[in-house]
Amino acid sequence: RMQCQTSVASFARLPWASLLVSVVAVIAISQGPWDPDGARWPYTDLNLNQYSLPKSGSDTVPSYALGVFPVLLGIFLVLFEFLCNRSTSTRLKIRFCLLLIISFLEAELVTVSLTSICKVFISEPRPDFKQRCLGSTTANATTDSDGFVICTNSGNDVTDGRQSFPSGHASYTMAVATFASLYMLWTLHVRKIDLPWRSSTGATSVLAAQIVQLLYFVALFPVFVSFGIAATRVRDHRHSPADITAGLLLGFVIGFLFFVGRMLSGAPETAEKSADCKCGGALCEGSSDSV
């Protein structure tokens, strides 16, 4: 019979290049020439009553949490796959975990890139933009000869004030939350593998069924967290409901596409159980030997 044997080349065939491109894209966009401070921004569309909410002193969810959230999720996904999947070899699980993390990171990086581009080119003022621009919610605006509102403040506070749509907190967290939740639901309900609480044929006990019910809540928990973070952005007057809705939708689409495009074809059980010894998707490429 035929037996798939993994090779060093299979690790090299993981999507490292596309990950590198995603990293470079994020760096290029963050350092790009489109700096609102260095351009004349058209404040003629500014409705001072619409953007006159008071600026809160601090964010309920600080920016560093956007880095902590995906790191914790990524660690959880790798541990869950490595410890709970009992159907595949250690080597295949390591390769699959690498694919899992690469795809997870790419979903986040692509979301960051697209969100940043939208923020700069759409240039929607934040709900608290009047205070950012004029220093007070009660200040009277003055315009130049072309009808542009003259901001009495300057610097990053004004620049960031014109980057409301879509919400980055919403899009970043929803992208990784969608990816993580889909992976968990797929593993719990679809994959034909041996797990600690059930066999690959679906045999399970009453206690195991109760465990699975709890794990379904765990699977959806990242999405609940993402919705909660998005809601704080409205409460903090950083975004409008339209901003967070767009961010959540953008993150969901990107997370969904990366999960479906990468993970479904790269499952290690697909590689091991393939009758013709061909490994699936971007995961690996095996070699055959007669036994």
Side-chain angles (χ1 to χ4, degrees):
R1 60 187 177 86
M2 306 299 287
Q3 178 182 8
C4 282
Q5 296 180 343
T6 53
S7 64
V8 176
S10 62
F11 287 91
R13 297 178 73 89
L14 288 167
W16 300 109
S18 60
L19 176 62
L20 179 61
V21 170
S22 299
V23 172
V24 172
V26 169
I27 295 174
I29 290 171
S30 64
Q31 301 298 324
W34 40 76
D35 183 3
D37 276 341
R40 191 171 185 229
W41 284 78
Y43 293 114
T44 50
D45 64 339
L46 175 62
N47 182 323
L48 294 179
N49 293 323
Q50 182 178 354
Y51 306 114
S52 61
L53 291 176
K55 184 175 181 291
S56 61
S58 61
D59 294 333
T60 302
V61 179
S63 297
Y64 69 78
L66 300 183
V68 174
F69 184 60
V71 168
L72 293 178
L73 270 184
I75 292 173
F76 173 78
L77 294 183
V78 169
L79 290 177
F80 186 86
E81 174 67 29
F82 205 83
L83 297 177
C84 293
N85 182 356
R86 298 183 175 182
S87 292
T88 53
S89 66
T90 299
R91 185 178 180 83
L92 276 177
K93 283 196 288 187
I94 291 174
R95 273 206 318 261
F96 182 68
C97 285
L98 283 174
L99 177 63
L100 180 69
I101 290 301
I102 291 172
S103 304
F104 183 79
L105 285 175
E106 275 196 90
E108 173 79 349
L109 293 171
V110 169
T111 304
V112 170
S113 298
L114 292 180
T115 301
S116 298
I117 291 173
C118 291
K119 281 178 174 290
V120 171
F121 286 98
I122 295 176
S123 187
E124 172 69 13
R126 294 186 185 274
D128 59 3
F129 185 71
K130 181 178 180 180
Q131 183 172 344
R132 290 172 181 261
C133 176
L134 303 175
S136 170
T137 58
T138 59
N140 294 319
T142 58
T143 59
D144 61 16
S145 58
D146 294 322
F148 295 128
V149 172
I150 300 173
C151 282
T152 56
N153 289 338
S154 61
N156 185 67
D157 206 32
V158 175
T159 300
D160 182 67
R162 286 301 300 254
Q163 298 183 12
S164 185
F165 186 92
S167 167
H169 280 64
S171 64
Y172 305 162
T173 56
M174 182 54 77
V176 294
T178 298
F179 189 102
S181 293
L182 287 175
Y183 161 80
M184 287 290 294
L185 294 173
W186 172 57
T187 300
L188 292 172
H189 192 64
V190 178
R191 294 173 72 185
K192 304 299 183 182
I193 57 176
D194 289 328
L195 295 169
W197 54 86
R198 70 130 205 258
S199 68
S200 59
T201 60
T204 184
S205 64
V206 175
L207 177 61
Q210 294 174 342
I211 293 175
V212 171
Q213 294 298 319
L214 175 62
L215 288 175
Y216 278 133
F217 172 78
V218 174
L220 294 175
F221 183 72
V223 174
F224 299 149
V225 172
S226 179
F227 275 111
I229 291 174
T232 68
R233 303 302 285 169
V234 176
R235 189 182 66 178
D236 292 342
H237 301 164
R238 297 294 193 258
H239 290 287
S240 68
D243 296 337
I244 66 168
T245 300
L248 291 171
L249 287 174
L250 177 63
F252 172 80
V253 170
I254 295 175
F256 177 84
L257 290 177
F258 268 92
F259 174 80
V260 172
R262 288 277 178 77
M263 306 316 297
L264 296 186
S265 60
E269 59 271 17
T270 302
E272 280 197 328
K273 296 180 180 180
S274 176
D276 58 1
C277 294
K278 293 180 181 178
C279 298
L283 178 64
C284 59
E285 182 176 83
S287 58
S288 309
D289 294 324
S290 297
V291 180

